[in-house]
C-alpha cells in the first residue's frame, strides 16, 4: 500500500491482521466440558481493509484501529452457530421446538449468513465507536470502508463507500463490491427527504434536474426525477425548484447536499452543510453491502489475486486495465518473492502517472489521479495445498 | 385468457388495447404550424395488462378500466420529448442554456426514460383513481398490476405485484419482471417500521425470526434479522419480540402484517389489519419496476412470444416448464391461425390440472393451482417485415 503524495495530507488508511475468534461451547453440561478439548479453541480469520477519509484523516485512523475489533466481537457473539452448516435456531443449541431445524432450513439460513450479519453489525458498531471518539476529542470527518475477510473457506467483502474490490482470476474478473455514491443511491436519499422534508430545512429541493435551475426556467416544463422514478418526466418549474438540489452533479462531481461525494461510510456525525443547521448524517448509511466468494466452488490458480483499492486507482483505471496489468506483471515476475507487493506499487505508480510540467499524466496522456491511492494485492492461492 | 373456475369469484382481470398518443407540436411559431402536417398526428402503442385482485374483484376491475387511460395521459404529457432520441431539457424544445443538450447527454437521458417515467407516474395516478372510486362507492380491496406496452420499437413491462412476464425466444428465456412480495421487500418494509414505529401501533414486531416466537424463547438468543441485514444474527428474546411479526411466513405463505401476500399493487386504501386500527397501505407501494426490451437489438423469430400470467400459473410451473410447453406447442401447431390463444388455453389447463376425487392434480401428480389463472401469449414477430 502506497500513497500518491500529491496532496498535503494523506487521508487513506489501511489495516490488515489475523482475527482469532474464541469458540464458546455453549449448551454443554458441566460433565461435557471435556468436549471442548476435541476442537481447536480458536477459529482464524484474515482481514484487510481500506478507509478513505474526508474532512481530515481522523475517522479513517479510528476505523483502521477499531473495525477489526468490532468484527471479532460480532463473530464471537455468533460463533456457536458459525461452525454448523445450518446454524441452530437457538444459539444455545437447545431445541425449544422439534421443528426448529426445519424453520431454519425453510429460510435457507446458512453459516455464511451469520458472517454476513456479523459484518453488517460490526460496521454499525464501528460507526458508533467513531462517533463517540470524535465527540470526545472534538474532531470531525468521516471515511469510506472496504473490508475483506477470509473465514472458513470463504471470502467476504463488505463495502460502504466508493472503494472497490475485484477478483482477478485466470480467465475471469469478478467484481466483489459496488460503489455507493449520491448518484447510485439517489432514490434512497430522495425517499428519505420525501418522508422527512424537515431534514432539508427549506434549503434544498429533493428533485433531480439535469442541471441546477435558474430564474429563466420558472414556468417551463423541464426534465426531472423524483424518488420513485428510474425514468424521467417533465415538471412545471416553480420557484421552490430553484433551490440547490439534494443530489447534484454527475460522476465524480456528484454531491450529497452539496457536501459529500459518498453516500455510505463511517463517521460524519457532526457534519453539517456549510452555513446551515442541516445535518448530513441522516442521509448517510454505515451499512455495508457484503459479497461472498466460496473458494470451494472455484479452482484457484497461482496468480489469482484480490485487488482492493480506493477510488484514487479506479478513477483513472477500469477493471479491465487493472486485470491486464495484474496478469502481465505476475507473468513477468514469476520468481520474485515480493511480487505481490511490487504489483501493488506498480498499480499505484500507474494511477499516479508522471509529472509533465505542472501536471501529472498517465502513460496514455490522460490526466492522472490527484487523489490518494491505496492498493492491496492479496494472493488467493494456498501453496500448502499443492 | 381463461380462468380456472375453481373458486366462487374470479378476481383476475385482463385488459388489452391500442393506445393512440396525440402529438402536440409545442414550440412551433404560428407560421410553422404547417410542419405538423409532415408528421403523423398520433403515435401508436399496444397495451396488455393483468390484474390479480384480492379482497374482492373491484380494484382489479377499476384498474383494468383505467390504467391504459392513465398511461395514455402520462405519455401525452411527455410526447414532445419521446420522439427525439435525446429528449430536450425543456419540453417546449426552446433552449434556455446553450449547454442544455450537453447536460441531458451527461445524465444519459434517452426517449426510453420518458416512457419509463410515464409508466411509473401512470401507476401512481391509477392508484389515486382507484382510491377515489372505491371510497365513493364504499368498496374495498386491491390488486396487483402487470402491464406491457409496445411503443416505438421497444417493449416495456411494468410490474407491481407477483404476476410475471417472460419472453420465450428461440434460444433464450428472458425474465421481464420480478415479484414483489413481503419476502422480497422485507428490508423496505422493516425500514419503514423502523422510521415510523407508530405504524405498528405496538401490535407487531418489525424483526424477522425463522418462526413466530413463544414464551419459552424469552431470554434465549435466537436467529433474527433487522431492516439493515441481508445476513442473520442472534438476538436475546424479549417479551416484545413475541408480538406477531411485520413480515411473517415463507414462500406463498409470507404475509405483510398477517394480512397481504403482496407488497406492491393498486388499491387497498381502506385496508386495515383485522380487529385493529393499523393501516396496511403505508407499507404497500404502487410503483412498478419497469424493464425494457429493445427489438432493434434482437432478431425476433416467428415463434418468439411474450408470456404474461398471474401467480396462478407460476405457482405450479417454472419459467423453464412454460418455455418448453410454448416451444413444443407452437412447433406442433404451425398452421393454426388461433395457435397463440390456443397456447394460452393450453397453459391455463396445464396449471389447472385434472380433477382426481376432490383434488386437482398436475400431470406429474403434484398438486395443481387453486388460484385464478390468467395467461396472455403475445406473438412478437411482425409478418409484414418478412
Amino acid at each position: 500500500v502506497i500513497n500518491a503524495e500529491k496532496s498535503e495530507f494523506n487521508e487513506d488508511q489501511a489495516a490488515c491482521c489475523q482475527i482469532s475468534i474464541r469458540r464458546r461451547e455453549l449448551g454443554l453440561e458441566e460433565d461435557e466440558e471435556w468436549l471442548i478439548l476435541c476442537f481447536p479453541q480458536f477459529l482464524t480469520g484474515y482481514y484487510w481493509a481500506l478507509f478513505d477519509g474526508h474532512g481530515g484523516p481522523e475517522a479513517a485512523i479510528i476505523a483502521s484501529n477499531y473495525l477489526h475489533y468490532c468484527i471479532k466481537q460480532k463473530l464471537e457473539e455468533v460463533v456457536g452457530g458459525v461452525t454448523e452448516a445450518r446454524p441452530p435456531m437457538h444459539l444455545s443449541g437447545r431445541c425449544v421446538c422439534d421443528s426448529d431445524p426445519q424453520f431454519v432450513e425453510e429460510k435457507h439460513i446458512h453459516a455464511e449468513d451469520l458472517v454476513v450479519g456479523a459484518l453488517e453489525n460490526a460496521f454499525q458498531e464501528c460507526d458508533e465507536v467513531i462517533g463517540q471518539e470524535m465527540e470526545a476529542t472534538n474532531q470531525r470527518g468521516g471515511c469510506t470502508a472496504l473490508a475483506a475477510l477470509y473465514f472458513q473457506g470463504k471470502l467476504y467483502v463488505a463495502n460502504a463507500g466508493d472503494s472497490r474490490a475485484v477478483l482477478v482470476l485466470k480467465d475471469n474478473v469478478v467484481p466483489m463490491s459496488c460503489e455507493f455514491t449520491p448518484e447510485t443511491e439517489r432514490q434512497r436519499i430522495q425517499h428519505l427527504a420525501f418522508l422527512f422534508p424537515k431534514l432539508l430545512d427549506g434549503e434544498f429541493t429533493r428533485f433531480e434536474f439535469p442541471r441546477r435551475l435558474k430564474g429563466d426556467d420558472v414556468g417551463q416544463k423541464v426534465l426531472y426525477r423524483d424518488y420513485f422514478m428510474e425514468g424521467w418526466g417533465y415538471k412545471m418549474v416553480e420557484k421552490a425548484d430553484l433551490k440547490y438540489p439534494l443530489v447534484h452533479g454527475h460522476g465524480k462531481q456528484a454531491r450529497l447536499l452539496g457536501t459529500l461525494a459518498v453516500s455510505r461510510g463511517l463517521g460524519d456525525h457532526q457534519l453539517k452543510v456549510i452555513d446551515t443547521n442541516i445535518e448530513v448524517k441522516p442521509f448517510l448509511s454505515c451499512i455495508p453491502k457484503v459479497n461472498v466468494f466460496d473458494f470451494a466452488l472455484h479452482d484457484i490458480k497461482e496468480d489469482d489475486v484480490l485487488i482492493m483499492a480506493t477510488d484514487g486507482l479506479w478513477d483513472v483505471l477500469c477493471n479491465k486495465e487493472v486485470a491486464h496489468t495484474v496478469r502481465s506483471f505476475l507473468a513477468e515476475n514469476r520468481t520474485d518473492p515480493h511480487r505481490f507487493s511490487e504489483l501493488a506499487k506498480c498499480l499505484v505508480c500507474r494511477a499516479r502517472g508522471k509529472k509533465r510540467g505542472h501536471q501529472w499524466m498517465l502513460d496514455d496522456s490522460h490526466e492522472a489521479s490527484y487523489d490518494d491511492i491505496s492498493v492491496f494485492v492479496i494472493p488467493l492461492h494456498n501453496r500448502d495445498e499443492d
Side-chain angles (χ1 to χ4, degrees), chain A residues 40-61:
Chain A
Q41 260 206 290
F42 290 95
L43 298 176
T44 304
Y46 300 92
Y47 162 89
W48 302 263
L50 291 175
F51 307 93
D52 183 348
H54 51 254
E58 291 80 8
I61 293 170

Side-chain angles (χ1 to χ4, degrees), chain A residues 47-98:
Chain A
Y47 162 89
W48 302 263
L50 291 175
F51 307 93
D52 183 348
H54 51 254
E58 291 80 8
I61 293 170
I62 300 173
S64 70
N65 287 334
Y66 279 96
L67 183 59
H68 54 281
Y69 180 74
C70 298
I71 292 174
K72 176 187 165 80
Q73 201 181 21
K74 294 296 171 189
L75 280 174
E76 284 187 350
E77 282 176 21
V78 300
V79 70
V82 161
T83 43
E84 321 272 325
R86 285 275 183 222
M89 167 89 185
H90 296 80
L91 188 57
S92 65
R94 303 263 171 253
C95 240
V96 169
C97 261
D98 285 346

Side-chain angles (χ1 to χ4, degrees), chain A residues 108-167:
Chain A
H108 305 289
I109 308 171
H110 298 96
E112 160 183 327
D113 298 306
L114 292 183
V115 181
V116 172
L119 287 166
E120 290 165 334
N121 277 300
F123 270 60
Q124 213 172 38
E125 173 86 14
C126 188
D127 188 52
E128 281 173 35
V129 170
I130 290 173
Q132 291 160 9
E133 291 286 325
M134 302 287 269
E135 196 190 338
T137 56
N138 201 20
Q139 296 182 107
R140 277 146 205 289
C143 67
T144 69
L146 173 68
L149 177 73
Y150 176 79
F151 187 63
Q152 307 268 86
K154 289 177 182 169
L155 177 71
Y156 299 82
V157 174
N159 183 43
D162 61 356
S163 295
R164 190 189 296 172
V166 175
L167 287 170

Side-chain angles (χ1 to χ4, degrees), chain A residues 99-313:
Chain A
S99 48
D100 279 350
Q102 198 187 317
F103 283 110
V104 173
E105 202 182 318
E106 260 180 24
K107 291 268 180 184
H108 305 289
I109 308 171
H110 298 96
E112 160 183 327
D113 298 306
L114 292 183
V115 181
V116 172
L119 287 166
E120 290 165 334
N121 277 300
F123 270 60
Q124 213 172 38
E125 173 86 14
C126 188
D127 188 52
E128 281 173 35
V129 170
I130 290 173
Q132 291 160 9
E133 291 286 325
M134 302 287 269
E135 196 190 338
T137 56
N138 201 20
Q139 296 182 107
R140 277 146 205 289
C143 67
T144 69
L146 173 68
L149 177 73
Y150 176 79
F151 187 63
Q152 307 268 86
K154 289 177 182 169
L155 177 71
Y156 299 82
V157 174
N159 183 43
D162 61 356
S163 295
R164 190 189 296 172
V166 175
L167 287 170
V168 179
L169 310 179
K170 189 164 189 289
D171 319 291
N172 207 357
V173 175
V174 184
M176 288 295 290
S177 65
C178 56
E179 283 91 69
F180 296 104
T181 69
E183 228 179 352
T184 64
E185 293 211 278
R186 171 187 59 84
Q187 289 187 274
R188 176 180 70 74
I189 292 162
Q190 285 182 314
H191 191 216
L192 202 66
F194 167 75
L195 293 175
F196 303 101
K198 280 192 181 164
L199 291 176
L200 301 185
D201 201 22
E203 299 276 344
F204 288 82
T205 168
R206 79 162 187 272
F207 297 114
E208 181 188 16
F209 303 101
R211 61 161 165 78
R212 186 163 180 195
L213 301 184
K214 39 192 192 175
D216 289 353
D217 296 309
V218 174
Q220 300 248 11
K221 286 189 174 172
V222 308
L223 288 166
Y224 87 107
R225 279 203 286 196
D226 199 357
Y227 72 93
F228 60 86
M229 298 165 75
E230 287 186 20
W232 289 79
Y234 283 99
K235 177 186 192 306
M236 178 72 78
V237 178
E238 301 162 29
K239 257 191 144 180
D241 299 325
L242 304 187
K243 291 173 186 170
Y244 200 85
L246 172 58
V247 173
H248 189 56
H250 180 61
K252 288 307 286 181
Q253 270 66 53
R255 290 288 178 279
L256 167 61
L257 290 162
T259 305
L260 262 193
V262 288
S263 58
R264 296 207 191 186
L266 308 174
D268 290 317
H269 295 74
Q270 287 85 23
L271 184 61
K272 291 191 176 178
V273 177
I274 197 161
D275 292 334
T276 74
N277 243 332
I278 300 171
E279 292 181 13
V280 180
K281 189 70 175 172
F283 294 99
L284 296 175
S285 166
C286 63
I287 306 303
K289 164 88 182 120
V290 183
N291 287 299
V292 187
F293 181 85
D294 188 347
F295 279 70
L297 305 178
H298 296 84
D299 178 26
I300 298 300
K301 299 288 193 299
E302 206 184 325
D303 285 356
D304 291 351
V305 292
L306 172 69
I307 305 290
M308 297 170 68
T310 52
D311 62 335
L313 182 79

Side-chain angles (χ1 to χ4, degrees), chain A residues 1-7 309-317 322 325 343-375:
Chain A
V1 181
I2 309 180
N3 295 97
E5 294 170 2
K6 288 174 199 169
S7 52
T310 52
D311 62 335
L313 182 79
W314 307 109
D315 286 349
V316 296
L317 296 175
V322 168
T325 304
L343 170 55
K345 280 187 209 170
C346 161
L347 285 167
V348 170
C349 290
R350 254 199 81 183
R352 178 171 66 163
K354 293 197 180 83
K355 202 163 186 173
R356 289 197 204 151
H358 289 290
Q359 282 197 307
W360 290 81
M361 306 298 284
L362 297 180
D363 290 345
D364 59 7
S365 50
H366 281 93
E367 212 172 340
S369 179
Y370 280 80
D371 200 354
D372 299 324
I373 310 165
S374 303
V375 178

